[in-house]
Amino acid sequence: MGVQAQTFGRGVIRKYRGWLPEIPDEAIATLGEGDTPLIPAPRLSERVGTDLHLKFEGMNPTASFKDRGMTVAMSRAVAAGNRACICASTGNTAAAASAYAARAGMACFVMVPAGKIALGKAVQVLAHGAEIVQIEGNFDAALRLSRRAAEQMGDVALVNSVNPDRIEGQKTSAFEVCEALGRPPDALALPVGNAGNITAYWKGFREWRDAGLADEAPRMLGFQAVGASPLVAGHDFENPETVASAIRIGSPASREGALNAVGESGGLIESVTDEEILAAQDLLAREEGVFCEPASAAGVAGLIKLALEGRSPGGTVVSVLTGHGLKDPAAVLDRVELPEPVPATFEAVARRMEAAPP
Ligand code: F0G
């Protein structure tokens, strides 16, 4: 046990227990989530005109921020005696639910829009042995159906972010950001889909301030993809479309949480195009060495856009990279491909290297 405690991350429940709903020790389902790196981004800082840091949530056990909320939701479901869980998902929630359900010994159903989730996420669900229900509809329909299934089937825990335990777990990332910087940042930029995460960060920063650990809380800067931007447009999108499949959502369940976060913090919610998102994903990977999935680059895309328009927030800014780039290999392979092989001779290799850009 002593060795395990040293080599296995404590996970967000043990680390932040006093800030979370009550969970008995024996119910804790953890994979050592949290404690993700806050990476300085010197080259992008110059582009966006702020001191930019990247909170790389792709370093969680299932490679997205969802693990923080899922450890709390799943542990609470165990404590409540549930034997199965269900969620709707654009992919990452499904991957996290599948892994944490396996950990907890619980059956798991995930409902996803057919053919619309990234390959890596689908593979994760299959690997963990969850039941995947592909529906001929989008995420918003899947969430409606999952809510109904949880209500009517009894003993089935709904582990989407409409479950407040998910928000509680996710807010721990705000604590880590404050601890790493020694104070809250001046602004936090992040992608917004179903709007649970912006709601959770704002709750975390507020609680940190209200506990007297800081005088201020950051401005919350949320970014949606243009084709899936109901919070910017002020109305639901019936057919949301974006290359950033994780945030292809037309009717965000935590709409109010997002609008409160933006209103109370003096922040904003704006949209970025798919081109801007993919350009930001490339810059992150090529100039900073950090590979995130397309949706995760929306925060940086937004900061670049603000800087180009002379509206850079300034100060110290954290952008949350919500999921790992390996989740969505097709997003990269659609733009670049492996070159043809060359013969295994020095001449051929040298020719190939000389032809490459410096
Ligand atoms: N980034 C990634 C990589 C996501 O997977 C999600 C949401 C978001 C950002 C947006 O977070 O919904 O809290 O505003 N993914 C959910 C899912 C919807 O099913 O995996 P949000």
Side-chain angles (χ1 to χ4, degrees):
M1 199 56 203
V3 172
Q4 191 183 16
Q6 280 171 14
T7 56
F8 183 65
R10 276 184 297 169
V12 299
I13 295 176
R14 292 200 173 91
K15 188 167 169 204
Y16 294 111
R17 211 141 187 192
W19 302 81
L20 296 174
E22 208 171 303
I23 299 166
D25 265 334
E26 62 278 10
I28 295 177
T30 179
L31 292 164
E33 59 294 319
D35 261 330
T36 55
L38 186 68
I39 305 171
R43 296 184 188 89
L44 282 176
S45 289
E46 278 186 30
R47 281 183 193 271
V48 302
T50 67
D51 177 22
L52 178 66
H53 298 252
L54 310 168
K55 181 67 171 160
F56 191 21
E57 288 288 279
M59 294 302 283
N60 276 298
T62 78
S64 88
F65 71 99
K66 305 286 183 181
D67 296 346
R68 293 178 185 276
M70 203 53 76
T71 184
V72 176
M74 201 65 71
S75 301
R76 297 261 296 166
V78 170
N82 291 125
R83 279 203 303 264
C85 62
I86 187 167
C87 66
S89 183
T90 55
N92 281 323
T93 298
S98 305
Y100 282 80
R103 189 77 191 163
M106 194 171 304
C108 179
F109 298 90
V110 305
M111 208 181 291
V112 301
K116 297 286 191 186
I117 72 171
L119 181 63
K121 305 173 190 181
V123 169
Q124 286 179 287
V125 174
L126 296 173
H128 290 298
E131 285 297 328
I132 188 161
V133 183
Q134 297 206 74
I135 64 158
E136 292 163 349
N138 61 25
F139 168 84
D140 304 291
L143 183 55
R144 277 195 300 277
L145 292 165
S146 297
R147 289 174 109 143
R148 184 158 170 202
E151 267 165 32
Q152 294 196 350
M153 292 165 77
D155 201 26
V156 179
L158 181 68
V159 293
N160 277 107
S161 59
V162 292
N163 175 338
D165 295 333
R166 282 275 313 277
I167 304 293
E168 291 299 311
Q170 282 173 211
K171 78 183 178 190
T172 60
S173 189
F175 302 160
E176 287 180 16
V177 166
C178 295
E179 285 171 340
L181 292 174
R183 65 178 185 85
D186 297 299
L188 184 96
L190 77 175
V192 174
N194 211 27
N197 210 29
I198 191 170
T199 303
Y201 270 97
W202 180 237
K203 187 165 197 284
F205 286 123
R206 245 179 23 223
E207 289 183 6
W208 198 256
R209 182 191 61 195
D210 295 349
L213 295 168
D215 297 330
E216 310 276 351
R219 294 178 64 203
M220 304 296 290
L221 314 177
F223 295 97
Q224 301 202 290
V226 167
S229 53
L231 295 175
V232 182
H235 59 79
D236 284 357
F237 279 39
E238 210 162 301
N239 295 305
E241 256 322 321
T242 165
V243 68
S245 60
I247 51 172
R248 196 183 280 146
I249 292 174
S251 179
S254 297
R255 172 191 323 267
E256 259 188 52
L259 297 178
N260 284 344
V262 168
E264 290 172 20
S265 72
L268 53 82
I269 292 203
E270 298 196 8
S271 58
V272 283
T273 64
D274 281 3
E275 291 70 30
E276 289 166 333
I277 288 173
L278 294 176
Q281 185 194 23
D282 277 348
L283 285 173
L284 281 159
R286 292 170 182 230
E287 294 195 353
E288 299 292 356
V290 183
F291 183 29
C292 67
E293 66 172 285
S296 305
V300 167
L303 291 172
I304 292 172
K305 184 181 126 175
L306 293 182
L308 289 174
E309 294 172 358
R311 298 191 290 140
S312 174
T316 298
V317 178
V318 169
S319 187
V320 185
L321 306 187
T322 46
H324 203 289
L326 290 171
K327 292 268 193 179
D328 192 355
V332 175
L333 291 173
D334 282 350
R335 286 175 279 157
V336 285
E337 46 187 43
L338 277 172
E340 288 302 309
V342 300
T345 65
F346 179 75
E347 289 70 24
V349 170
R351 226 177 300 124
R352 169 77 178 89
M353 289 175 69
E354 276 158 15

